[in-house]
Amino acid sequence: MKRYRPHILVVIALAIVLSTGWHGALRNALTDLRFAWQSRDASGSVVVVAIDAPSIEKIGVWPWPRRLHAELLHGLAAAGAADIAFDVDFSTPSDAASDESFLKALREVGGSTVLPSFKQPTPNGGAAHINRPLKPFSNQSWPAVVNVAVESDGLVRRYPFGEKLGDALIPSMAVVLAGKDANRRPPFLIDFSIRAASIPVVSYVDVLHGDAAAVGKLRDKKVIVGATALELGDRFSVPNGRIVSGPVLQALAAESILQGRMLRWTSDIGMILGLGVICLLMMYSWRRVAPGIRVAVLIASGAAIELVAALVQARWPLVIDTSLFHIAIIAYLTAIALDEIDFRSLLGRIAESRFHRIAMSLGDGLVCTDEDHRITVWNPGASAIFGYMPAEMIGRPFETLCAAPADGNARPSMHDAARQALLVPGGAVVVEFEGRRKNGETFPVEASFSGWQGTDGFQYGAILRDISVRKREAERVKYLAEHDALTGLANRNTLHAGLVGMIADAERQPREVALLVIGLDGFQQINDMLGHSAGDLVLRAVAERLRIEAGGKAVVARLSGDEFAIALDCAEAGEPIAALAERIASAFEAPLATGTRQHRVRISIGVAVYPEGGHNADDLLGNGHLALSRAKATRRGGHVLFEAAIRQELENRLTLESELALAADRGEFELFYQPQVRLIDGSLVGAEALIRWRHPVRGYVSPGEFMPVVNSSALSERIANWVMETACRQARHWELSGNGVRVAINLSPSQLHSGDLAHSVAALLTSTGLAPALLEIEVTEDILLHDEARVLDMFKRIQQLGVRVLFDDFGTGYASLSYLKKFPLDGLKVDRSFVSGLLSNSDDAAIVGSTIGLSKQLGLTVVAEGIEDRATADFLVSMGCEEGQGYFFGRPMPAAEFEKRFLAADLVAVDAA
């Protein structure tokens, strides 16, 4: 068995390589290297007309009009090109004039043009999509496939003669140019020893403009027109780290055919015979010939077979696979190395020095003793810890290192610890004791004791560590785990534990436990204006004031950011909880001193009291936060005591959010349309799209009930996009039926925050086909407040599309006039709060009249909301208001009813009566 062991190793190596396919990677690498060693020029019969960077710079952004390809065809024909192939996609129509121009050029050149077809994978993993030239183009051209196969390493090596597209076998582009027949032949290896740089390339724009030097290179040549510019992405990785464009790859394939260099693998019989020869040679010479000679024979054999393979590949279109031969040689060289190394002796020498090297290189202290506990080994790590040199400690008792315990206990016994180590899994016992340095300093030591039977009797060892830093860090970690690092107050975990203890005491002796959750009002402004360092000083000052006001028996904690909490037993408070909360809030009326600055910070307090406000710590914390939220919303600077109604309100909101999500999934939302009319004659000019919810149980739910929840929930963007798409499709339906009804849509803030609204509007107009003039977007002041520069740019781009933008609820905000100046608006809507009191309130009349006059000077359309009667409508007309809406003209109604009432063929004006 020992005699045949090297040969078995070789067989195993070959079996592993064959089963895993690793030899394929070596075969490809060797073939690629031969391409690098050999170099041949292209014949010059194939010329690439490149859609390159200079062409794109002069002509414009790709894709170009097909009339340019038509002009190029005429230019190539006039230059005397023999064959013309386009590596350009002609599967989709462009503008009709350009397509007709290209078709005419195809006819005039006589149908000798080659146009590409290709398979394109679908995103969902289904059957590949076949892209063919448009039918008129294919009738005037030759078909060719341009697909190539990318191998597992990302490189292109093989080129197909053709591919079956549908029911027909279509030849590849290079095969057509070379004048060969596909005949269902297998793919061949492209000869990459042909230098890509030797293929003639002329620029598309030079041929298009009739450059004499460029045109002169085309006579009687086979021409491939395609993209070489980096930005067009038509690039392929090929052997030896090169990257070539698609047209150049097609040209290399055509050159391989024209030069008779369609490379193919040779039969495996020769490789099997070669393996047999090398195996027989090694079996014969293994014990008869010196190892050096065998190594030389193996290396020479590998060099010889590779030289033969390189010469064959250079002279004939054949590629010899030498991968397995080289793998066998490597396996035999490994076997020779393993056979010659004396591993037993090597392992012995390693075993002799291992302990010494480990002992001397350990960062920890290593001490060994004999059976009398006298030190026999003392490493540098022990010297660094205790301060003794080896000469000072060898032969001394181990107990020299131990300090007398402060509690009077006995010193640890190495004998007992080591003996115990033999009885536990792992063979070591870890003990902590007080050590003594040479200078008398004591410190905590961790020792891992072990024992073993040696040639000189039972011996002991200990790995020693100075754990002073670890002890200090553990204390610090414990402190940080229980306290807030910035303020030194208890943290949330400590507060929770304190609440649990207080509640447990309150259960045994019935009494109340109070939790005050405190939030700072306007703290973010301090951070924004003065920076976080100033904010940290304020938080420390707040913590100190809370600690003073709460007293020593309360747990004062920082929950997060600018939120604090106080937990206390009500029996120890000395005052009612409401009074305590008021006192703490009043304490912050005095400014906080932080260095040279003074800050006035108000606080809001939410109070939850056990047991009414929660039966455990988590309930108290949750309910305290709810009360704080209510305080911030209704009583800033004061306190709110938690009541069940607060949680009920939150649960109602959560229930409504859940129902709204189901409503969106089940399609329960509808759009109603309220007419907008020209006031002077009552004619219909548009409609405002308004969302309605048809609840399966409650019927129609008021928008005032559910829209505030929608606008502050994750559903906002989804529902807003649905409203916009539905309204646009309805407007397009009316437009196709001959009624150009302008539809107004209220914009949601979420649509501005989630992406490019202008792009979304453009895409929606394209998908629906709606004329931009029939879409109107209404925005409110709260939308304009967010990211002013970005919103301004977005609305400018929306207006450039032809969509109108109106300012809704004008007059109800504090900065409306400044927005008229800054933002690109087409009009504004006077809020119904001014219109409803127009006849009875002179102030409202003055405001509306001024608004109409200002709008006319600015060239803005004015739409009045909330018109309830004829008198109000007439008064608005007298003021110069152009458009209006309200119940007087029509309530919001479903699209079908709107069509019936306002879009009948014989109805040209709204019957206000």
Side-chain angles (χ1 to χ4, degrees):
M1 183 67 182
K2 185 176 180 180
R3 176 182 178 184
Y4 296 103
R5 186 168 56 193
H7 315 294
I8 295 173
L9 172 65
V10 172
V11 172
I12 292 173
L14 291 173
I16 292 173
V17 168
L18 286 172
S19 63
T20 57
W22 292 344
H23 69 292
L26 178 59
R27 177 188 64 189
N28 290 335
L30 292 171
T31 306
D32 297 346
L33 280 175
R34 294 172 202 152
F35 288 143
W37 296 337
Q38 304 159 9
S39 179
R40 62 183 79 239
D41 291 330
S43 65
S45 299
V46 182
V47 180
V48 174
V49 175
I51 301 172
D52 51 10
S55 300
I56 293 176
E57 182 179 352
K58 293 179 181 179
I59 295 175
V61 177
W62 180 264
W64 298 332
R66 287 178 180 157
R67 59 178 176 78
L68 296 180
H69 299 326
E71 294 176 16
L72 182 75
L73 264 178
H74 288 302
L76 293 172
D83 295 300
I84 303 168
F86 277 87
D87 191 1
V88 177
D89 186 7
F90 290 98
S91 63
T92 57
S94 63
D95 63 284
S98 286
D99 285 353
E100 182 60 32
S101 176
F102 185 67
L103 181 60
K104 182 179 178 183
L106 289 173
R107 293 194 192 101
E108 291 176 353
V109 299
S112 61
T113 307
V114 180
L115 297 184
S117 299
F118 56 93
K119 287 184 178 179
Q120 187 172 3
T122 54
N124 58 5
H129 177 69
I130 300 175
N131 284 26
R132 304 175 185 272
L134 295 173
K135 187 67 174 178
F137 297 164
S138 61
N139 289 339
Q140 302 296 327
S141 62
W142 291 95
V145 175
V146 293
N147 287 104
V148 292
V150 179
E151 298 187 5
S152 59
D153 58 359
L155 304 184
V156 175
R157 293 185 177 88
R158 292 172 174 78
Y159 189 84
F161 269 88
E163 190 165 353
K164 192 170 184 180
L165 300 183
D167 297 329
L169 179 65
I170 308 299
S172 295
M173 181 170 284
V175 174
V176 175
L177 288 176
K180 298 293 184 180
D181 184 9
N183 280 338
R184 300 185 181 275
R185 289 193 279 180
F188 63 88
L189 292 171
I190 299 174
D191 186 1
F192 286 106
S193 65
I194 302 174
R195 293 185 302 110
S198 66
I199 295 175
V201 178
V202 297
S203 181
Y204 187 106
V205 70
D206 290 342
V207 178
L208 193 66
H209 293 162
D211 181 80
V215 171
K217 297 179 181 180
L218 304 175
R219 179 167 296 278
D220 298 327
K221 305 296 185 184
K222 303 175 186 295
V223 175
I224 299 176
V225 182
T228 63
L230 285 174
E231 56 265 39
L232 298 186
D234 188 13
R235 318 288 289 179
F236 295 94
S237 297
V238 297
N240 298 317
R242 292 184 295 167
I243 297 176
V244 299
S245 63
V248 172
L249 182 65
Q250 298 291 341
L252 286 172
E255 284 285 351
S256 299
I257 298 173
L258 292 172
Q259 296 187 30
R261 298 290 299 168
M262 294 177 290
L263 302 178
R264 301 190 183 281
W265 299 106
T266 58
S267 170
D268 293 335
I269 296 176
M271 180 53 55
I272 295 172
L273 292 176
L275 287 173
V277 169
I278 198 71
C279 288
L280 290 174
L281 180 62
M282 287 296 104
M283 291 176 68
Y284 174 78
S285 63
W286 197 257
R287 296 300 178 194
R288 296 181 177 86
V289 179
I293 296 177
R294 279 180 278 153
V295 169
V297 169
L298 289 170
I299 294 174
S301 300
I305 193 66
E306 196 55 40
L307 178 61
V308 170
L311 292 174
V312 168
Q313 186 170 323
R315 185 172 181 82
W316 295 285
L318 297 174
V319 179
I320 298 176
D321 181 6
T322 60
S323 59
L324 293 179
F325 193 84
H326 289 298
I327 290 170
I329 289 175
I330 293 171
Y332 270 120
L333 291 173
T334 303
I336 292 172
L338 293 175
D339 196 41
E340 293 302 313
I341 295 175
D342 185 356
F343 283 99
R344 183 173 298 176
S345 175
L346 178 62
L347 291 175
R349 291 194 299 271
I350 292 173
E352 290 176 1
S353 62
R354 178 183 301 163
F355 178 78
H356 180 75
R357 286 188 288 106
I358 292 174
M360 295 302 110
S361 63
L362 272 178
D364 296 327
L366 176 62
V367 178
C368 295
T369 72
D370 58 20
E371 59 183 356
D372 295 325
H373 303 162
R374 295 190 176 275
I375 297 173
T376 57
V377 175
W378 182 268
N379 78 335
S383 296
I385 294 173
F386 290 93
Y388 294 101
M389 291 295 103
E392 298 177 271
M393 295 305 297
I394 299 297
R396 297 182 65 179
F398 178 81
E399 284 72 15
T400 306
L401 306 177
C402 304
D407 56 8
N409 293 330
R411 296 176 179 178
S413 169
M414 176 177 263
H415 174 79
D416 294 341
R419 287 289 183 184
Q420 184 182 356
L422 298 176
L423 305 176
V424 300
V429 172
V430 179
V431 176
E432 290 186 13
F433 65 92
E434 284 293 310
R436 184 186 300 278
R437 304 190 203 275
K438 184 178 181 180
N439 60 10
E441 176 189 353
T442 60
F443 64 100
V445 178
E446 180 185 82
S448 178
F449 290 108
S450 59
W452 64 92
Q453 183 66 47
T455 55
D456 297 329
F458 206 82
Q459 299 179 17
Y460 308 96
I463 296 177
L464 307 175
R465 296 184 180 89
D466 180 352
I467 57 174
S468 304
V469 175
R470 187 203 299 176
K471 289 282 189 179
R472 289 194 297 270
E473 284 298 317
E475 293 173 359
R476 181 173 178 272
V477 169
K478 181 182 179 183
Y479 178 84
L480 292 177
E482 297 175 349
H483 295 79
D484 175 56
L486 177 64
T487 63
L489 297 178
N491 62 13
R492 178 183 288 271
N493 293 334
T494 304
L495 173 70
H496 189 278
L499 277 173
V500 170
M502 291 179 188
I503 292 173
D505 292 341
E507 288 175 346
R508 289 191 294 269
Q509 298 179 357
R511 56 182 183 269
E512 293 183 331
V513 175
L515 175 68
L516 285 68
V517 180
I518 301 160
L520 307 187
D521 297 333
F523 176 72
Q524 187 61 40
Q525 295 178 356
I526 296 175
N527 269 342
D528 293 341
M529 293 188 295
L530 303 179
H532 287 276
S533 58
D536 290 346
L537 292 175
V538 170
L539 291 174
R540 291 193 185 101
V542 169
E544 184 59 29
R545 185 161 296 181
L546 289 175
R547 188 185 288 114
I548 294 171
E549 295 297 328
K553 295 184 178 181
V555 177
V556 184
R558 182 185 179 206
L559 298 180
S560 64
D562 60 351
E563 284 190 0
F564 298 82
I566 299 174
L568 72 162
D569 189 324
C570 293
E572 299 176 350
E575 59 185 319
I577 293 302
L580 173 65
E582 284 295 334
R583 179 169 60 79
I584 293 175
S586 300
F588 283 86
E589 293 178 0
L592 295 169
T594 59
T596 59
R597 288 184 177 272
Q598 287 191 335
H599 302 274
R600 291 191 178 273
V601 177
R602 290 198 312 171
I603 64 171
S604 298
I605 304 175
V607 183
V609 180
Y610 168 86
E612 290 82 3
H615 294 285
N616 55 50
D618 291 327
D619 288 348
L620 283 180
L621 281 166
N623 293 337
H625 275 98
L626 288 179
L628 174 62
S629 299
R630 174 61 63 87
K632 283 181 173 289
T634 61
R635 295 193 59 191
R636 279 188 175 267
H639 74 279
V640 169
L641 182 66
F642 174 79
E643 298 174 343
I646 296 176
R647 178 165 293 279
Q648 185 62 46
E649 180 181 330
L650 175 62
E651 290 177 353
N652 290 342
R653 176 187 172 87
L654 294 177
T655 300
L656 186 56
E657 283 188 7
S658 176
E659 289 184 337
L660 286 169
L662 289 174
D665 294 336
R666 295 191 296 227
E668 294 175 2
F669 293 113
E670 301 178 16
L671 282 190
F672 279 27
Y673 299 88
Q674 184 174 26
Q676 296 176 333
V677 302
R678 186 175 292 107
L679 294 178
I680 194 169
D681 59 5
S683 60
L684 182 72
V685 295
E688 181 176 4
L690 300 167
I691 191 170
R692 294 293 183 268
W693 177 17
R694 188 194 296 271
H695 194 280
V697 177
R698 299 163 57 190
Y700 281 110
V701 181
S702 169
E705 179 180 347
F706 71 85
M707 282 308 295
V709 177
V710 169
N711 289 334
S712 60
S713 71
L715 291 170
S716 177
E717 182 186 355
R718 177 184 175 186
I719 293 177
N721 290 338
W722 174 85
V723 169
M724 181 174 286
E725 181 178 355
T726 304
C728 286
R729 294 195 182 279
Q730 183 63 61
R732 176 57 175 166
H733 170 71
W734 287 335
E735 181 184 8
L736 292 174
S737 65
N739 296 287
V741 179
R742 186 185 69 211
V743 174
I745 301 168
N746 292 293
L747 191 66
S748 168
S750 61
Q751 291 175 286
L752 285 178
H753 302 157
S754 60
D756 190 342
L757 177 63
H759 176 76
S760 300
V761 171
L764 184 58
L765 291 173
T766 301
S767 65
T768 60
L770 178 66
L774 296 182
L775 177 60
E776 186 172 272
I777 293 178
E778 298 181 2
V779 298
T780 54
E781 183 176 310
D782 61 329
I783 290 178
L784 302 181
L785 284 171
H786 298 286
D787 197 356
E788 188 173 285
R790 176 173 170 268
V791 172
L792 175 61
D793 173 70
M794 194 172 297
F795 282 138
K796 284 182 178 178
R797 289 163 54 206
I798 289 175
Q799 279 191 321
Q800 290 171 0
L801 296 173
V803 176
R804 286 165 51 86
V805 179
L806 265 68
F807 196 165
D808 197 8
D809 298 337
F810 181 77
T812 59
Y814 69 91
S816 299
L817 291 178
S818 66
Y819 290 146
L820 293 182
K821 176 182 176 181
K822 292 179 183 178
F823 286 90
L825 299 170
D826 296 291
L828 53 86
K829 299 184 75 173
V830 181
D831 189 70
R832 66 181 65 250
S833 61
F834 298 108
V835 175
S836 61
L838 192 62
L839 299 177
S840 60
N841 190 314
S842 59
D843 291 338
D844 287 348
I847 292 173
V848 173
S850 299
T851 301
I852 294 172
L854 176 64
S855 300
K856 285 185 173 295
Q857 292 182 8
L858 295 175
L860 302 178
T861 301
V862 180
V863 181
E865 294 183 299
I867 301 175
E868 306 294 338
D869 50 51
R870 168 63 70 185
T872 303
D874 291 342
F875 192 29
L876 286 167
V877 171
S878 68
M879 287 182 167
C881 183
E882 301 169 358
E883 299 178 10
Q885 68 182 84
Y887 286 177
F888 178 65
F889 303 105
R891 292 174 177 268
M893 62 195 73
E897 184 179 345
F898 186 90
E899 293 175 2
K900 183 177 179 180
R901 288 188 57 184
F902 298 105
L903 301 183
D906 57 343
L907 192 61
V908 297
V910 176
D911 185 359

